[in-house]
Amino acid sequence: MRRDADSRRGGIRGRVAALTTVGAALALTLAAPATVSTAAPAACTAPTGPYQRPMEEYLKRPVDGVQSAADCAAIRDFQKAQSLTPADGYARLVTYRTMTALKARANPNAAGKCPVRDFRVTCVDLDRQLLWVQQGRKVVFAPVPIRTGRDGEETRKGWHAIYWRDRDHVSTLYHNAPMPYAQFFNGGQALHGRPDDLFDGGGSAGCVNLRLADAKTLWNLLAIDDAVYVWGTKPGTGG
């Protein structure tokens, strides 16, 4: 009987000792300070870009058209926030067009160049290379960057109406080029998505190119007979 009691006391002491060891280890773990990275962010070394001045103005930097380390970091932060690649601080065309669309969001029709009607109007601003949709004075599709016709193949101005839609259209004129979410408004000119870089190549053959996600959203919004209004002049073209 005494041997059994001694055995039980020994087992209890062993378990207590084990629990004490585990508790001490846990206390040490909880007390250990978190590791904090002290690495400095990578230096921003991109040179002056072609759209340096408007980006400096938008980002409230000193507007001198000359890249500084602080300018570069501010432009890079903007690119990261807008998921633009590469995010390197260089003020290239895609960065500028994205900024232009964001800047216009509060009131894209402030200049009153897109007619206000009680029906939906898709507004195509060639000057700023922007597209939005309004009904009355309400913007129902916020401005997004676009790519319109190159010099000699300009997007046709004035009033149009969507007369044919083809979600998976392939061009019969331009080497079977994909034209997803195509909505034709004048002859062979259409609003459609561009699978490749929207800003590559300088201009379209007259169509209004959009990023794929924007073209899909626009497809789901518009319908046959919806109005399209085009005005202005694409930068670098004659009309």
Side-chain angles (χ1 to χ4, degrees):
M1 293 290 291
R2 178 175 295 178
R3 192 176 303 137
D4 290 343
D6 291 344
S7 178
R8 283 196 297 272
R9 282 194 293 273
I12 291 170
R13 283 196 295 272
R15 286 194 293 272
V16 170
L19 288 171
T20 301
T21 302
V22 170
L26 181 59
L28 287 173
T29 301
L30 293 175
T35 302
V36 178
S37 174
T38 58
C44 195
T45 59
T48 299
Y51 299 95
Q52 187 75 31
R53 281 183 178 273
M55 289 307 302
E56 288 171 345
E57 181 180 4
Y58 179 76
L59 296 170
K60 296 180 170 52
R61 299 289 310 151
V63 182
D64 57 10
V66 179
Q67 181 84 300
S68 67
D71 292 340
C72 185
I75 295 169
R76 182 177 62 182
D77 289 346
F78 173 84
Q79 292 166 332
K80 288 180 179 178
Q82 300 304 317
S83 301
L84 302 179
T85 54
D88 56 4
Y90 184 69
R92 56 178 58 81
L93 180 59
V94 62
T95 303
Y96 170 69
R97 294 283 187 229
T98 302
M99 177 275 287
T100 302
L102 289 173
K103 189 176 178 180
R105 288 246 169 128
N107 186 5
N109 202 31
K113 293 185 178 181
C114 191
V116 175
R117 298 291 186 269
D118 60 0
F119 50 82
R120 272 196 308 255
V121 179
T122 297
C123 305
V124 180
D125 182 346
L126 301 180
D127 295 324
R128 294 183 293 172
Q129 292 290 284
L130 294 178
L131 176 151
W132 69 90
V133 181
Q134 62 189 35
Q135 186 161 1
R137 298 189 181 280
K138 181 180 180 181
V139 175
V140 296
F141 180 82
V144 295
I146 56 174
R147 187 183 81 152
T148 60
R150 63 179 69 94
D151 198 23
E153 296 182 284
E154 289 87 352
T155 303
R156 301 181 191 106
K157 300 175 188 177
W159 282 105
H160 311 284
I162 294 172
Y163 66 89
W164 182 43
R165 296 176 5 122
D166 185 1
R167 184 191 298 268
D168 300 306
H169 189 71
V170 175
S171 174
T172 57
L173 298 175
Y174 301 103
H175 312 291
N176 297 318
M179 298 170 59
Y181 306 108
Q183 304 189 77
F184 288 85
F185 60 85
N186 186 292
Q189 296 190 353
L191 315 168
H192 71 81
R194 178 174 165 82
D196 301 323
D197 182 0
L198 182 63
F199 304 98
D200 180 42
S204 72
C207 288
V208 178
N209 299 158
L210 300 98
R211 295 173 296 197
L212 278 179
D214 295 333
K216 181 179 180 181
T217 302
L218 193 65
W219 170 275
N220 291 330
L221 174 65
L222 303 184
I224 295 293
D225 293 331
D226 268 12
V228 177
Y229 186 76
V230 182
W231 76 95
T233 301
K234 182 183 188 297
T237 69

